[in-house]
Amino acid sequence: MKRLIFSVLLLSGLFFSYQTSAQEIKRKTIMGVWRLDSILYNNIKAYSTIKVFGDVDASCMINSMWTFYGNWDGKILSPMAEGCPTTPQTMVWSTGKENGGNYFGIKPLLAGQKGKQITQGFKMPIQSIDGKNMVWHETVKLDYKTSHVTYFFTKTSNKAK
């Protein structure tokens, strides 16, 4: 009986470790060009001005193009709209696992900066990803309550230009 329990526990441990490693996001899955199609706000007052990724108006991010290169560099190009950034934002990006889930890391760079010089950035929990769609789900704490912001991306090209 003890052998049977030990065998079941051993097989369960092997199965769990296999599933955990299988869920890791590969760099190749992210590489390419993605369009941020929409941002969904849950539990945020309608008249609130939403700023994302530091200080960018969320409306400027809709239809922005995100390019992720294989060397962990990238850029974000906002759509040409009044009040939106007009130059591409360079960044370094990463993926990892934390608290049992995957996250996407972004460190915006200023002209001439290297990723190693930047100590602060953004970690976005990845809700789902496949070869064509990616969803980030962020929990934010606003003055009046905990809210959620969900970002929906579509991959437009596997080739980062």
Side-chain angles (χ1 to χ4, degrees):
M1 183 68 168
K2 288 182 181 179
R3 280 188 185 171
L4 178 63
I5 292 172
F6 178 76
S7 297
V8 169
L9 289 174
L10 180 64
L11 288 174
S12 298
L14 289 172
F15 180 71
F16 178 76
S17 66
Y18 173 75
Q19 284 214 345
T20 300
S21 63
Q23 293 176 353
E24 289 182 28
I25 296 172
K26 300 200 182 296
R27 177 172 52 174
K28 192 164 80 172
T29 304
I30 301 287
M31 287 173 26
V33 181
W34 296 78
R35 181 183 58 243
L36 179 55
D37 294 320
S38 62
I39 303 173
L40 177 67
Y41 313 103
N42 181 353
N43 215 15
I44 297 176
K45 294 179 181 174
Y47 57 83
S48 298
T49 300
I50 308 299
K51 301 282 187 182
V52 294
F53 307 112
D55 62 349
V56 179
D57 192 321
S59 64
C60 289
M61 298 309 293
I62 304 299
N63 293 318
S64 59
M65 301 303 286
W66 298 56
T67 304
F68 301 109
Y69 301 107
N71 63 355
W72 304 104
D73 287 337
K75 67 180 177 182
I76 304 168
L77 182 60
S78 297
M80 296 301 170
E82 188 173 331
C84 295
T86 56
T87 57
Q89 171 66 59
T90 57
M91 66 175 160
V92 292
W93 62 277
S94 62
T95 62
K97 292 185 75 65
E98 190 172 89
N99 299 327
N102 291 304
Y103 72 85
F104 196 89
I106 303 169
K107 288 187 201 177
L109 301 175
L110 299 174
Q113 281 185 317
K114 302 275 186 208
K116 293 176 184 177
Q117 297 170 314
I118 306 298
T119 58
Q120 293 189 354
F122 306 96
K123 273 188 180 179
M124 309 297 278
I126 298 175
Q127 184 173 340
S128 66
I129 186 168
D130 60 26
K132 298 177 184 175
N133 298 293
M134 178 167 54
V135 179
W136 298 347
H137 185 75
E138 177 183 28
T139 301
V140 294
K141 296 205 185 279
L142 300 174
D143 290 337
Y144 52 92
K145 59 181 84 172
T146 299
S147 303
H148 303 279
V149 180
T150 308
Y151 304 85
F152 296 91
F153 291 86
T154 302
K155 196 168 201 178
T156 62
S157 173
N158 287 324
K159 304 249 187 242
K161 301 172 188 167

